[in-house]
Amino acid sequence: MAIISSDIGDNDFSLRKKELRLVDSKIIPEEKRNNNLNIARPVTFKEFVGQEKIKSSLRIAIDASIYRKEPLEHTLLYGQPGLGKTTLAFLIANEMNTKCRIATAPAIERPRDIVGLLLGLKEGEVLFIDEIHRMNSLTEELLYSAMEDFRLDLTMGANRGARCRTINLPRFTLIGATTKLASISAPLRDRFGLSQKIEFYTYDELKQIIINFSKLLNLNLEDEASFNLAKISRGTPRIALRLLRRVRDYAQVVKKTNFISVNLIKKALNSYQIDEKGLDSLDRQYLSFLNQNNNPTGLDAIAAGLGDDSSMLEFVVEPYLIQIGFLTRTPRGRLLTAIGKQYIDSVK
Ligand code: ADP
């Protein structure tokens, strides 16, 4: 049984806005439906670009499990959205020559949901639970004995008529994915034998991902064009692939071509209001607001000024502005850097 939630997460503020942001790393509904993207999912370690340390520790763990004829240890993958956690889960299952069942924690509301999922597993299979930090305590507690002893301890009935029943489960591997490691309870975290942090990707790695995907899409991509796209992808494969798909739309519909040049990318991104730094209109509004204030400004004041949610600004907009050196967070508030100011003055 596979539960694929339609829930889009508690921090998906960008999806509540009228417009979807192309440069947001969270999955958008179109991408959930788009089979085209499944062809982009690497299925072997060789095809999975970057994350060399993770790949080599997983390789050893997988080979050891295969040698011992045991399932892989339960594995926790953490890192920002769009960096490849789901892809790695499928890849691990593929390398273990087994199936990967997929679920998201918000869809596992009642104990019977998790019981159903666990009872549906076959020996050695992988159960992938996305957003595992969002498990509720009742269902999470059932996971403890399932993970540790491959056993479900269920309480049937209520009050004096209550009795315990133990059900043995096939040995399986749980792969949990989270963007918020700190929100996972200690008992759950301790039950994962392996824990891996997925890092942001370098420009060269993103360029390789873009080139690989462009081949699958039958696009002819100029070398410099792939690097330019990589530079504005915020270290995130999901954004890189999304930008490439939008550039392809523009090339095919407006220019009637499959040849993607540096110039075409510039024009395409321009039509989506993304500039050469990879900033979109929300980023620019944020920077303009700070520029007008000219003083360190508190996050809540910025949020009120822009009519946006402060958490959205903090988790979605600010990290990239800080990363490219346009913004600093000081104890007195947010402050534009000299290059941030120079940039926003130049685009006025
Ligand atoms: P997450 O689960 O972390 O949100 P996904 O696994 O859904 O991210 O990855 C988002 C997209 O990026 C997928 O289409 C996937 O194919 C692609 N992707 C992620 N990591 C890599 C990688 N290392 N190499 C190639 N493609 C990748």
Side-chain angles (χ1 to χ4, degrees):
M1 179 190 13
I3 298 179
I4 302 175
S5 165
S6 61
D7 192 298
I8 52 175
D10 52 359
N11 265 334
D12 289 284
F13 305 99
S14 54
L15 300 184
R16 288 185 210 129
K17 290 175 76 75
K18 282 164 262 127
E19 240 181 273
L20 297 173
R21 293 184 76 212
L22 287 185
V23 290
D24 192 326
S25 58
K26 294 193 188 77
I27 196 161
I28 59 175
E30 171 205 320
E31 289 164 350
K32 286 197 171 176
R33 293 189 300 267
N34 194 346
N35 281 334
N36 215 345
L37 280 173
N38 290 336
I39 59 164
R41 274 198 199 284
V43 286
T44 61
F45 279 121
K46 205 163 159 243
E47 291 163 359
F48 192 87
V49 179
Q51 313 293 349
E52 299 305 330
K53 276 194 202 139
I54 298 179
K55 284 195 291 191
S56 80
S57 23
L58 282 176
R59 181 76 271 165
I60 294 170
I62 289 173
D63 288 347
S65 315
I66 293 174
Y67 176 76
R68 290 194 300 264
K69 297 193 172 53
E70 284 173 2
L72 181 71
E73 284 199 71
H74 302 305
T75 302
L76 184 62
L77 302 173
Y78 62 99
Q80 292 304 302
L83 296 185
K85 298 181 291 299
T86 312
T87 306
L88 265 179
F90 278 107
L91 196 157
I92 290 170
N94 186 49
E95 294 280 346
M96 297 286 301
N97 208 7
T98 188
K99 275 202 179 127
C100 180
R101 314 271 168 178
I102 173 165
T104 64
I108 309 172
E109 282 172 5
R110 296 153 304 179
R112 72 164 186 238
D113 295 330
I114 189 74
V115 171
L117 269 174
L118 293 167
L119 289 180
L121 290 173
K122 297 202 178 71
E123 181 77 16
E125 283 187 348
V126 169
L127 172 62
F128 173 71
I129 303 187
D130 202 7
E131 299 183 66
I132 197 155
H133 61 276
R134 295 178 70 194
M135 291 285 281
N136 67 48
S137 53
L138 273 183
T139 48
E140 184 179 311
E141 275 165 30
L142 281 171
L143 264 187
Y144 297 162
S145 60
M147 289 173 78
E148 218 159 61
D149 305 316
F150 303 113
R151 201 187 69 208
L152 267 175
D153 293 324
L154 300 174
T155 311
M156 331 280 260
N159 303 326
R160 294 177 73 192
R163 57 202 162 80
C164 282
R165 199 175 149 207
T166 296
I167 302 175
N168 289 325
L169 292 169
R171 291 177 312 160
F172 68 99
T173 300
L174 177 68
I175 301 185
T178 181
T179 48
K180 295 182 180 167
L181 185 65
S183 304
I184 297 190
S185 72
L188 181 58
R189 212 169 43 211
D190 292 347
R191 283 172 169 82
F192 286 99
L194 294 167
S195 179
Q196 302 285 347
K197 178 176 184 204
I198 324 268
E199 304 282 355
F200 284 111
Y201 291 73
T202 64
Y203 291 160
D204 283 337
E205 288 164 350
L206 287 169
K207 180 180 161 187
Q208 193 54 52
I209 291 172
I210 289 167
I211 291 173
N212 295 350
F213 192 43
S214 70
K215 285 184 189 147
L216 293 172
L217 296 179
N218 287 325
L219 295 175
N220 180 1
L221 194 63
E222 234 178 23
D223 192 64
E224 200 184 332
S226 53
F227 193 69
N228 288 357
L229 264 190
K231 275 200 306 195
I232 61 167
S233 299
R234 305 186 181 211
T236 308
R238 177 173 293 134
I239 298 180
L241 300 186
R242 187 185 297 150
L243 290 175
L244 182 62
R245 291 199 319 276
R246 290 292 88 87
V247 167
R248 176 185 64 160
D249 291 349
Y250 180 88
Q252 293 178 340
V253 174
V254 182
K255 301 287 174 191
K256 311 268 183 269
T257 179
N258 274 348
F259 176 66
I260 313 283
S261 64
V262 171
N263 208 12
L264 187 139
I265 287 200
K266 212 166 156 187
K267 286 192 182 134
L269 293 179
N270 221 341
S271 76
Y272 299 116
Q273 294 178 19
I274 296 174
D275 63 26
E276 73 280 6
K277 288 268 172 219
L279 300 185
D280 70 356
S281 51
L282 180 58
D283 298 312
R284 288 189 293 271
Q285 278 166 26
Y286 180 102
L287 294 171
S288 295
F289 184 82
L290 267 192
N291 200 22
Q292 280 160 21
N293 268 11
N294 219 0
N295 274 317
T297 312
L299 180 61
D300 288 338
I302 304 172
L306 294 178
D308 262 305
D309 185 297
S310 59
S311 304
M312 189 279 283
L313 295 177
E314 184 176 5
F315 294 109
V316 179
V317 176
E318 290 182 345
Y320 184 62
L321 297 177
I322 294 172
Q323 196 190 325
I324 59 172
F326 280 14
L327 178 75
T328 51
R329 288 178 180 152
T330 73
R332 289 186 302 133
R334 272 58 172 171
L335 197 60
L336 273 191
T337 61
I339 57 164
K341 182 166 172 44
Q342 197 181 19
Y343 163 83
I344 200 67
D345 283 340
S346 73
V347 296
K348 259 184 195 163

